[in-house]
Amino acid sequence: MIKGKNYIFRTVTMIYTGELVDNLDDRFVVKKAAWIADAGRWSNTLVSCDFNEVEPYPAEKEVHIYKTGMLDVVEIDKLPLEQK
């Protein structure tokens, strides 16, 4: 994973997006983060980056996503930055 790239993080309970700031041993640190309440059709969303429901964190906040519940991480082209 490359710092400064955009990723979607799928955990056992939730989905997040964000720009990678740091990749620590136990967690990822991201900014411009959002919790994705509804991603829609997964394979379509990975290509289009168009999510059904988005709850962004305040832009200046760093979000820590712990790796213990991680299912997969995929690089995406653009982040959802608006609430939807």
Side-chain angles (χ1 to χ4, degrees), residues 12-83:
V12 294
T13 58
M14 298 191 170
I15 299 171
Y16 300 92
T17 57
E19 179 185 322
L20 186 65
V21 173
D22 208 350
N23 184 354
L24 304 174
D25 288 340
D26 64 339
R27 65 191 180 276
F28 299 106
V29 182
V30 298
K31 64 180 181 180
K32 300 180 197 167
W35 168 56
I36 307 301
D38 182 355
R41 295 295 302 257
W42 187 247
S43 60
N44 294 343
T45 299
L46 293 176
V47 174
S48 70
C49 300
D50 184 25
F51 302 91
N52 291 343
E53 291 184 51
V54 177
E55 292 292 338
Y57 287 83
E60 69 280 359
K61 299 290 184 185
E62 285 188 347
V63 176
H64 296 242
I65 304 168
Y66 286 83
K67 295 177 179 179
T68 53
M70 198 64 54
L71 296 175
D72 56 38
V73 180
V74 179
E75 185 179 337
I76 55 176
D77 292 330
K78 62 181 179 180
L79 294 173
L81 302 175
E82 300 291 324
Q83 188 176 38

